[in-house]
Amino acid sequence: MEKIASRRFGQDNSHLLASYLKDNGYAAARKALTGMTPAQIIDEVKKSNLRGLGGAGFPTGMKWSFIPAANPKPKYLVINADEGEPGTFKDKYILEQDPHALLEGIIITCYAIGSHKAYIYIRGEYIKSLQRMQAAIDEAYKEKYLGKGVMGSGFDIDVVVHPGGGAYICGEETALLESLEGKKGFPRLKPPFPAIVGLFNCPTVINNVETIACVGPIINKGAEWYAKLGSEKNGGNRLFCISGHVNKPGVYELPNGTTLRELIYTHAGGIPNGRQLKAVIPGGISAPLLTPDQIDVKMDFDSLKAIGSMAGSGGIIVMDDTTDMVWAAMVAARFFAHESCGQCSPCREGSGWVYRNVKKIYHGHGKPHDLNNLPGIVNNIGGNTICAFGDAVTMSVGSYVSKFRHEFEAKITKEPAHA
């Protein structure tokens, strides 16, 4: 299988410019700048069926086309490298092992949308990622791959690394923009959308690291090549992060449409000690969990949506039959309660209420009404907030309650345990 985003992982000094140039680095950017129009680049990305690989899965070329060319304001590209979704750890590998692949994708994207400045928003805990990315930018400026007249063209581009403060909500694109502007990371009401009113009230494209790292190979080898690698409407490969109860946790690059069963049992080596699969989160902690009878699903955006879950960030968390699902729900609920930004009262109050209820049940102090109230509480959060964080609480914790209700009931019927 031909690798794309991970093609240079594990090579010696893969993060250095000299190593990148030996692998035909920046050839795609030169091709785009000297032989293609912005409209041709956008059309090629559209035909590739590249979709946003940060979670939402929105068609990338279509997102770019929303930037109004006639708008006299500056245009910006913002790279979402916040990667705060539990179970997700793929973008950090690109930032640390192949930062120039991201920079090449940034150059092409900026040229396509008419932007001369890009920001890379990296979560503050990713110290090595920040250092590697900044070092790559410094190399690129020195060798004229960034700055004035890049690669001898008439196109100028500046790239800035911005460390985030470690708030999960800043992975939401408009909260990220607020944070980048120096404000508290509160999501914005939409519309207007960032393509019209984004960073500094200017037209802005926001894409994640893996998405933009795929742009260079698409321009080099063509949209048809990339589209054929994946499934219908989901072009190319994807980096899947597998953790939890598997023999070989890690990051695996596989075509969109690979089944979840193949990921768990072939690539990740199955479940340790001959244990049985109990549940699996397919796309980061926000995704509704799946049961063993659902793992023949194709791991693409449309297939997972069709069975009531989502591909999300590609973070797969596997749980074997020793897992206490009430405990797992409590951990998820605790995370959401802690990370709610507090802007919307249904989420601010509701996420804490959900956590307290599940915690009470887990410790054996729950009453029947605590369990009976949970579906109503979570359903009153989702759909009633500015951003999708409230929906994540509803979908995630709600799936534990609906699919493993008997485990919640068992803890209520038992004698109260000591906290």
Side-chain angles (χ1 to χ4, degrees):
M1 186 207 75
E2 190 168 7
K3 292 185 177 181
I4 303 171
S6 66
R7 65 190 183 279
R8 306 186 67 250
F9 288 7
Q11 293 183 18
D12 290 339
N13 298 316
S14 62
H15 60 290
L16 299 179
L17 177 58
S19 171
Y20 190 65
L21 292 175
K22 287 179 182 178
D23 285 336
N24 205 31
Y26 290 105
R30 185 172 284 106
K31 176 182 177 181
L33 290 172
T34 61
M36 299 177 75
T37 65
Q40 287 174 327
I41 294 171
I42 291 174
D43 187 57
E44 196 74 4
V45 174
K46 282 182 178 178
K47 289 189 292 186
S48 74
N49 288 333
L50 173 65
R51 293 173 67 167
L53 299 171
F58 194 84
T60 303
M62 185 180 296
K63 177 183 274 193
W64 295 1
S65 70
F66 293 155
I67 295 292
N71 192 317
K73 290 184 176 182
K75 282 82 175 175
Y76 295 107
L77 172 65
V78 175
I79 304 301
N80 186 344
D82 191 61
E83 195 162 53
E85 183 77 15
T88 311
F89 41 89
K90 59 188 175 64
D91 287 346
K92 72 188 297 290
Y93 282 90
I94 297 173
L95 295 168
E96 293 173 11
Q97 297 199 39
D98 206 5
H100 285 282
L102 175 60
L103 287 179
E104 183 166 23
I106 287 172
I107 294 168
I108 297 167
T109 306
C110 283
Y111 176 63
I113 66 172
S115 170
H116 297 284
K117 189 149 192 176
Y119 291 88
I120 307 173
Y121 185 101
I122 303 177
R123 70 183 297 100
E125 295 93 336
Y126 277 12
I127 302 299
K128 185 177 180 180
S129 300
L130 285 158
Q131 293 171 340
R132 283 276 174 93
M133 198 70 241
Q134 186 59 59
I137 289 170
D138 293 343
E139 281 188 304
Y141 270 109
K142 184 178 179 181
E143 300 300 326
K144 309 301 182 186
Y145 290 101
L146 293 176
K148 299 287 186 182
V150 296
M151 290 181 279
S153 71
F155 188 73
D156 304 337
I157 177 173
D158 287 311
V159 179
V160 175
V161 168
H162 182 94
Y168 173 74
I169 196 62
C170 288
E172 195 277 336
E173 62 178 18
T174 61
L176 187 155
L177 294 180
E178 290 287 296
S179 177
L180 195 51
E181 291 177 2
K183 296 177 282 188
K184 188 171 182 177
F186 275 175
R188 299 175 181 174
L189 281 168
K190 295 182 285 190
F193 292 93
I196 308 299
V197 182
L199 186 65
F200 309 126
N201 292 322
C202 295
T204 304
V205 162
I206 307 164
N207 280 125
N208 95 307
V209 172
E210 184 185 358
T211 309
I212 297 301
C214 292
V215 170
I218 290 170
I219 297 303
N220 251 338
K221 298 189 176 184
E224 186 177 349
W225 161 79
Y226 188 84
K228 284 183 177 179
L229 293 175
S231 58
E232 186 181 4
K233 298 181 181 179
N234 292 257
N237 300 337
R238 180 149 204 210
L239 295 178
F240 295 99
C241 317
I242 308 180
S243 60
H245 296 140
V246 290
N247 283 305
K248 296 189 294 182
V251 177
Y252 297 86
E253 180 173 346
L254 294 162
N256 272 303
T258 302
T259 67
L260 183 53
R261 182 182 297 277
E262 181 182 335
L263 276 157
I264 295 171
Y265 288 100
T266 301
H267 302 285
I271 299 172
N273 305 316
R275 306 298 312 193
Q276 297 299 306
L277 177 67
K278 187 171 188 178
V280 55
I281 298 170
I285 200 171
S286 301
L289 56 80
L290 302 177
T291 47
D293 60 317
Q294 296 177 297
I295 64 169
D296 289 307
V297 64
K298 291 182 178 180
M299 290 292 288
D300 60 46
F301 292 101
D302 301 318
S303 299
L304 281 161
K305 182 179 179 181
I307 64 166
S309 192
M310 61 183 188
S313 59
I316 300 167
I317 305 172
V318 178
M319 293 174 253
D320 71 14
D321 55 8
T322 65
T323 306
D324 184 328
M325 300 309 292
V326 183
W327 171 84
M330 181 182 70
V331 170
R334 181 177 63 199
F335 173 80
F336 290 123
H338 179 265
E339 293 293 343
S340 174
C341 75
Q343 182 175 198
C344 306
S345 54
C347 179
R348 180 184 66 244
E349 305 302 327
S351 59
W353 193 0
V354 169
Y355 170 52
R356 289 189 296 273
N357 266 26
V358 177
K359 182 180 179 182
K360 187 192 295 185
I361 293 169
Y362 173 70
H363 286 294
H365 304 309
K367 306 297 182 193
H369 70 266
D370 294 313
L371 177 56
N372 293 333
N373 285 342
L374 269 175
I377 298 169
V378 297
N379 289 331
N380 281 326
I381 302 172
N384 294 307
T385 56
I386 288 174
C387 79
F389 186 97
D391 298 325
V393 180
T394 299
M395 294 186 298
S396 173
V397 181
S399 68
Y400 289 87
V401 179
S402 63
K403 294 187 175 183
F404 293 94
R405 187 181 177 94
H406 60 282
E407 293 198 24
F408 287 80
E409 292 172 340
K411 291 195 181 293
I412 288 173
T413 56
K414 288 180 180 178
E415 288 294 319
H418 294 290

